[in-house]
């Protein structure tokens, strides 16, 4: 299996190299040259299998000879051992024809654990085979950083540095990053906002001498491996509801477009997904783009669902690549227009192709709060604000097929929003409550690339 850049000007790579590279050399994202298609019989045969077995069948063709085989089964077993629910991604029914796919039973209580736990093991193995170490540096508004630290703590071949904006993540999110005691974990509170954190990480990747010196690697959601691993729960859920014999629709709370793009890959692999509904909060660039064909970022307005407070949805580039039939020149032209003019128009044929796969909707702040309250009153279920955005949008798209709405985080990660809607402050699961008393370890840094490089050099020299 080969992976090509969405912009067509970087060499095609195998899975292992594409995973380690993160971003392609031409600024594009890696996508499979040809998506493997599963026959209806092969999809039907997934029914009743344990989640890890489903994962092995879905991922094996993508990994090819690089990292597949017997060890993949071990990696997948270990990756899911820390989930608190035996189904890993259980479905619960919200109402007639409407189901919630709970993706928050992993160690850091957000769906990012699914891909990150697998990525941590695959990367460690790839690095060991290559006899090298890597330095992972990432910026987070909360959930990605904690999932990355949880996945990479104590691994031999990596150091993991996570930058978060000082004072702007919740206490639970901060403590998930600052309490791990392993020497390869480095939490950094940056004196700046999330954009500053992202900008400093970009500085490091753009300093090619430094990048090679420390072996920089990226685990943010543009990493190909994360998108591919996330296809697994689409298969598991759809098969549980009758696929391949019955089509299923999904609604996905969307920020950087990684999660919903995984659904598009599953659909391309032959899973009968009738529609993928993109749910956005008040930062509704994707909903506007689908409606008008114009992709035009506006300033981010902070919301109760901070992991969706994004206006440049990096993974949308993969959907554009699909929608143009793999026309890398068209994709590169759109991205060049975005960089030069701050917006671009989706060509008419590509827009029609997008609308054939995706629908969209938005939920305002008050609609989000009202949805948390309404679902709690009707079912007793507490939704996190991201999941509530999706449930609100999904309820406007219910149709003949069963609708599966992705619940991306546990309500206890966002207790203020949940309490404001219901009066109930959800408690952390017992195994996480310990972090509230543990000692914290964090480096506070000025918003300065030089200081960041110095800290990284000093820490990896240990
Ligand atoms: C990251 C995140 C999202 C958005 O996922 P994308 O892949 O960026 O679209 C939604 N909900 C929660 C809780 C998240 O952590």
């Amino acid at each position: 299996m080969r992976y090509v850049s969405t912009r067509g000007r970087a060499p095609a790579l195998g899975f292992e190299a594409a995973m380690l590279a993160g971003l392609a050399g031409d600024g594009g994202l890696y996508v499979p040259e040809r998506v493997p298609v599963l026959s209806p019989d092969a999809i039907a045969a997934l029914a009743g299998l344990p989640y890890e077995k489903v994962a092995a069948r879905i991922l094996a063709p993508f990994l090819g000879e690089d990292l597949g085989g017997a060890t993949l089964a071990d990696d997948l077993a270990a990756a899911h051992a820390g989930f608190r629910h035996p189904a890993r991604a259980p479905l619960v029914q919200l109402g007639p024809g409407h189901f919630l796919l709970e993706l928050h039973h992993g160690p850091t209580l957000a769906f990012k654990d699914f891909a990150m736990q697998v990525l941590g093991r695959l990367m460690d193995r790839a690095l060991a085979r290559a006899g090298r170490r890597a330095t992972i540096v990432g910026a987070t508004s909360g959930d990605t950083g904690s999932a990355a630290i949880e996945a990479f703590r104590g691994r031999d071949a990596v150091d993991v540095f996570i930058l978060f904006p000082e004072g702007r993540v919740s206490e639970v999110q901060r403590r998930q990053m600052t309490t791990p005691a392993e020497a390869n974990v480095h939490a950094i509170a940056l004196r700046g906002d999330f954009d500053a954190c992202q900008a400093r990480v970009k500085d490091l990747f753009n300093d090619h001498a430094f990048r090679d010196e420390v072996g920089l690697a990226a685990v943010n959601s543009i990493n190909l491996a994360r998108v591919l691993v996330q296809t697994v729960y689409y298969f598991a859920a759809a098969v549980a509801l009758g696929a391949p014999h019955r089509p299923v629709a999904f609604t996905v709370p969307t920020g950087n477009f990684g999660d919903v793009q995984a659904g598009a890959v599953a659909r391309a692999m032959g899973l009968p997904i009738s529609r993928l509904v993109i749910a956005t909060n008040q930062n509704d660039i994707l909903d506007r783009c689908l409606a008008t064909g114009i992709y035009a970022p506006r300033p981010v307005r902070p919301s109760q669902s901070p992991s969706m407070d994004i206006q440049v949805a990096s993974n949308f580039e993969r959907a554009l690549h699909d929608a143009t039939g793999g026309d890398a020149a068209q994709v590169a032209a759109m991205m060049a227009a975005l960089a030069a003019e701050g917006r671009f128009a989706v060509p008419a044929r590509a827009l029609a192709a997008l609308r054939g796969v995706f629908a969209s909707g938005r939920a305002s702040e008050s609609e989000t709060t009202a949805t948390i309250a309404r679902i709690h009153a009707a079912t007793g279920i507490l939704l996190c604000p991201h999941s509530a955005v999706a449930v609100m949008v999904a309820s406007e798209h219910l149709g003949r097929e069963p609708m599966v709405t992705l619940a991306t985080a546990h309500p206890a990660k966002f207790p203020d929003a949940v309490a404001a809607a219901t009066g109930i402050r959800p408690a952390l699961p017992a195994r996480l409550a310990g972090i509230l008393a543990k000692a914290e370890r964090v480096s506070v840094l000025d918003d300065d690339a030089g200081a960041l490089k110095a800290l990284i050099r000093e820490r990896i020299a240990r």
Side-chain angles (χ1 to χ4, degrees), residues 110-112 143 221 253-259 307-308 386 408-409 414:
F111 82 94
K112 293 189 172 77
D143 293 331
S221 75
T254 301
N256 223 359
F257 211 82
D259 207 2
S307 302
M308 298 159 70
H386 308 76
T408 46
F414 302 92

Side-chain angles (χ1 to χ4, degrees), residues 237-446:
V239 167
L241 292 174
H245 314 295
R246 180 162 77 149
V248 178
F250 286 88
T251 300
V252 187
T254 301
N256 223 359
F257 211 82
D259 207 2
V260 70
Q261 178 62 18
V265 175
R267 187 174 182 275
M269 292 172 75
L271 191 66
I273 296 178
S274 57
R275 224 155 10 140
L276 286 162
V277 184
I278 299 163
T280 74
N281 65 22
Q282 60 189 4
N283 297 292
D284 58 355
I285 181 166
L286 293 164
D287 185 41
R288 284 186 283 120
C289 178
L290 227 61
T292 64
I294 306 293
Y295 187 93
R298 293 177 183 162
V300 167
R301 287 197 291 149
S303 78
Q304 304 170 73
S305 42
S307 302
M308 298 159 70
D309 289 348
I310 290 178
Q311 285 285 297
V312 179
S314 312
N315 280 289
F316 191 50
E317 184 168 340
R318 290 191 161 108
L320 292 169
H321 188 262
D322 293 343
T324 57
D327 186 336
Q330 268 192 59
V331 175
M334 285 185 259
M335 293 303 136
L338 181 64
E341 293 144 38
R343 56 195 275 145
F344 62 84
V346 182
R349 285 181 62 178
L351 184 61
L354 285 173
R355 287 174 176 159
V357 179
F358 301 102
S360 69
R362 84 193 283 277
S364 68
E365 289 292 272
S366 59
E367 286 168 333
T368 304
T369 302
T371 302
I372 297 174
R374 174 172 68 81
I375 295 296
H376 180 250
T379 67
I381 294 169
L382 289 174
L383 295 172
C384 94
H386 308 76
S387 313
V389 165
V391 167
M392 156 83 200
V393 171
S395 50
E396 295 169 342
H397 286 84
L398 296 178
R400 250 177 316 152
E401 302 88 20
M403 172 64 80
V404 178
T405 296
L406 274 52
T408 46
H410 192 284
K413 261 194 135 163
F414 302 92
D416 295 339
V418 177
T422 63
I424 296 169
R425 234 188 138 70
L428 276 181
R431 63 170 180 168
L432 264 163
I435 66 170
L436 297 175
K438 273 197 201 150
E440 294 189 74
R441 217 162 40 94
V442 59
S443 309
V444 181
L445 274 194
D446 284 333

Side-chain angles (χ1 to χ4, degrees), residues 50-84:
Y51 190 88
E52 291 75 4
K53 292 252 159 54
V54 175
R57 294 208 187 167
I58 303 301
L59 294 176
F62 286 112
L63 272 55
E65 285 158 23
D66 274 4
L67 288 163
T71 40
L72 177 63
D74 294 344
D75 285 344
L76 291 172
H80 296 95
F83 282 64
R84 272 172 313 142

